[in-house]
């Protein structure tokens, strides 16, 4: 829609919009964006290379929201690839975070999911290489953490909710500042480690609490 409008600094998305398409605002100069309550999907690369973008907010709503796609196979086409967003407050109505969403994003420090979060899946490579990501709170409905999702991040402590039933290959490997990994107790389904090196090369790790 506005791809490569390199001087565009401000846009107000109307309340009537239900979909923000692939590469819709790619490489614009927007600094902040507000997502209305009726938006149900944000396409891959929607804010790709918006290098001035530091903030995104979401209106509360009841419609489920998808952020990118789980099928995205292009590491440089994640929803927020190349932005400068530092804090990502995941809207409660989001149901997953797509593949490569914040791939190699250099400003991100915090990802927060609230008590009412509906997120069930974290896509492959979603936060790969977000080297400043030190604060992570996963929601209580997360079930699957796909391959390389948090590879080379900076958390000192990782808590895996009891809702998680699958963690894939290298999902938390090379998180070299991680000292403790805590699996919440009380899960009602089996937990599957699907792949190799899930917590490999975490050179600072001193403690891990496994589920019973």
């Amino acid at each position: 829609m506005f791809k490569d409008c390199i001087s565009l600094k401000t846009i107000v998305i109307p309340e009537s919009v239900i979909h923000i398409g692939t590469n819709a605002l790619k490489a614009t100069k927007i600094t902040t964006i507000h997502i209305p309550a009726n938006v149900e999907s944000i396409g891959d690369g929607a804010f790709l290379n918006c290098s001035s973008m530091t903030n995104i907010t979401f209106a509360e709503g009841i419609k489920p929201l998808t952020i990118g796609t789980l099928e995205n196979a292009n590491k440089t086409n994640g929803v927020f690839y190349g932005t400068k967003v530092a804090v990502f407050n995941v809207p409660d109505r989001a149901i997953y975070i797509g593949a490569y969403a914040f791939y190699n994003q250099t400003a991100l420090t915090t990802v927060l999911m609230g008590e009412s979060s509906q997120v069930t899946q974290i896509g492959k490579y979603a936060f790969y290489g977000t080297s400043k990501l030190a604060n992570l709170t996963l929601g209580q409905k997360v079930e699957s953490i796909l391959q390389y999702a948090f590879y080379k991040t900076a958390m000192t402590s990782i808590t895996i909710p009891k809702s998680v039933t699958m963690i894939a290959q290298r999902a938390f490997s090379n998180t070299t500042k991680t000292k403790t990994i805590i699996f919440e107790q009380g899960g009602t389904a089996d937990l599957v480690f699907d792949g190799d090196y899930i917590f490999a090369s975490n050179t600072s790790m001193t403690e891990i609490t496994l589920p019973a």
Side-chain angles (χ1 to χ4, degrees):
M1 184 69 172
F2 299 104
K3 176 178 177 287
D4 296 330
C5 292
I6 59 174
S7 296
L8 179 62
K9 295 181 179 180
T10 304
I11 186 168
V12 177
I13 300 174
E15 295 293 328
S16 57
V17 169
I18 62 173
H19 175 63
I20 300 171
T22 300
N23 297 143
L25 290 158
K26 174 186 174 183
T28 58
K29 295 298 183 185
I30 58 173
T31 58
T32 187
I33 195 78
H34 179 71
I35 308 298
N38 284 318
V39 173
E40 298 175 23
S41 61
I42 301 173
D44 291 320
F47 306 105
L48 173 66
N49 288 336
C50 291
S51 58
S52 299
M53 183 175 169
T54 58
N55 189 43
I56 181 169
T57 58
F58 297 84
E60 295 182 6
I62 60 173
K63 293 182 176 181
L65 170 67
T66 59
I67 300 174
T69 68
L70 295 171
E71 296 76 25
N72 177 28
N74 185 347
K75 65 184 180 181
T76 59
N77 201 40
V79 179
F80 300 104
Y81 182 93
T83 67
K84 296 296 189 295
V85 174
V87 177
F88 185 48
N89 288 300
V90 184
D92 285 346
R93 62 192 186 94
I95 57 174
Y96 65 72
I97 298 173
Y100 300 98
F102 283 90
Y103 183 89
N104 271 351
Q105 210 259 37
T106 59
L108 189 68
T109 64
T110 303
V111 174
L112 299 174
M113 299 180 193
E115 293 182 359
S116 300
S117 173
Q118 300 300 305
V119 170
T120 60
Q121 294 190 78
I122 311 294
K124 62 185 180 182
Y125 297 84
F127 298 96
Y128 176 106
T130 52
S131 58
K132 294 181 182 178
L133 177 55
N135 304 300
L136 171 67
T137 302
L138 295 174
Q140 292 298 313
K141 290 192 175 181
V142 174
E143 297 174 358
S144 301
I145 302 172
L146 300 184
Q147 60 264 39
Y148 290 86
F150 294 99
Y151 181 88
K152 284 189 177 180
T153 49
M155 291 89 71
T156 57
S157 179
I158 297 169
T159 299
I160 308 294
K162 62 185 178 182
S163 57
V164 173
T165 58
M166 192 277 286
I167 304 176
Q169 174 184 356
R170 291 189 181 272
F172 291 96
S173 67
N174 287 77
T175 58
T176 56
K177 295 182 180 181
T178 300
K179 295 181 179 180
T180 60
I181 297 174
I182 301 168
F183 286 83
E184 289 185 349
Q185 305 298 306
T188 58
D190 292 340
L191 171 61
V192 175
F193 295 110
D194 185 16
D196 299 328
Y197 307 112
I198 291 171
F199 296 101
S201 300
N202 291 351
T203 53
S204 297
M205 190 188 304
T206 59
E207 181 180 355
I208 182 166
T209 303
L210 290 169

